[in-house]
Amino acid sequence: MSECSLTYTPLVSRATPMSPEERRQAIIAATLPVLLERGPEISTREIARAAGVAEGTIFRAFETKHDLIHATIHAALSPDAALAELAALPTDQSLSDRVAAVLDVLVANTARTRALFATLFGSRDGGPPPHPGKPPGHPNDARLRILAGAGEALAPYTDQLRISPAAAARILSALAFTASFGTAQPELDDSHRLADLVLRGIAEGNQ
């Protein structure tokens, strides 16, 4: 047997390349944190660094930086991620744990939306110019969809509630809005303590 026949060249498997849509979504996901930190003045070089791609890759996925920013805004304001989280909650949760989990989703979604609007409207140039394409849906549409999703998440516990799941979802949404600002009050900063407050009320003992 010759020495050459003993030579082994390992086969290096290549990662499956992303589809164009997968690449777009990956760039959008990497853009959001940078957009929230730096505002619309971010450069495509910063975005490329965050996404781990060459700057030219961005312009193969989006015609302009403003197209990318608007796509990122659309994605951030979409209720789809929050709805998926609500739908994926464990089915064996107690009512208290379910209320806390719903609050976690609502608080995170509200905080992200508030941060995005604060970044855009607080920017030096007033944010990106109007987009020539179809405008995003009204923010109230997303809010109503999330309220419906929260109500559906509470529906299995209907027999344990004094009000309808839809009404309970609205109350939790109002509390989530307050909690999304962050407070120095432990009862409002911890979802489980807030859930206990919702379920037991603010009265001391059995009033």
Side-chain angles (χ1 to χ4, degrees):
M1 184 178 293
S2 68
E3 183 178 349
C4 290
S5 65
L6 295 176
T7 302
Y8 172 68
T9 303
L11 296 176
V12 179
S13 61
R14 295 183 178 180
T16 303
M18 290 184 177
S19 69
E21 181 57 27
E22 288 173 334
R23 175 65 69 188
R24 281 176 57 90
Q25 294 305 316
I27 293 173
I28 287 172
T31 299
L32 181 57
V34 186
L35 178 63
L36 291 175
E37 179 182 352
R38 299 272 290 114
E41 300 87 359
I42 54 175
S43 68
T44 51
R45 179 175 298 179
E46 291 174 299
I47 295 171
R49 186 183 305 116
V53 299
E55 195 170 358
T57 301
I58 293 175
F59 293 107
R60 286 194 290 273
F62 301 90
E63 289 189 13
T64 68
K65 185 185 81 169
H66 288 314
D67 285 334
L68 170 55
I69 289 177
H70 277 275
T72 302
I73 294 171
H74 275 253
L77 295 181
S78 170
D80 291 345
L83 291 173
E85 290 182 54
L86 289 169
L89 293 177
T91 58
D92 59 350
Q93 288 179 311
S94 66
L95 174 59
S96 179
D97 286 343
R98 175 55 61 97
V99 169
V102 170
L103 280 168
D104 280 335
V105 174
L106 296 179
V107 169
N109 182 75
T110 303
R112 182 174 59 251
T113 301
R114 286 182 48 252
L116 181 62
F117 275 99
T119 297
L120 295 178
F121 291 106
S123 64
R124 290 191 297 273
D125 64 1
H131 195 275
K134 182 179 179 181
H138 193 282
N140 194 49
D141 296 337
R143 186 182 71 85
L144 292 177
R145 287 181 61 193
I146 291 176
L147 279 175
E152 291 174 6
L154 295 171
Y157 304 83
T158 299
D159 60 346
Q160 300 180 55
L161 298 172
R162 295 176 59 189
I163 57 178
S164 70
R170 287 185 174 274
I171 291 174
L172 296 185
S173 178
L175 289 172
F177 179 79
T178 299
S180 70
F181 285 89
T183 72
Q185 299 171 300
E187 295 86 351
L188 297 180
D189 289 337
D190 180 87
S191 61
H192 286 279
R193 297 185 69 172
L194 188 54
D196 184 70
L197 187 64
V198 170
L199 295 174
R200 298 177 182 273
I202 61 175
E204 180 67 35
N206 296 322
Q207 301 295 324

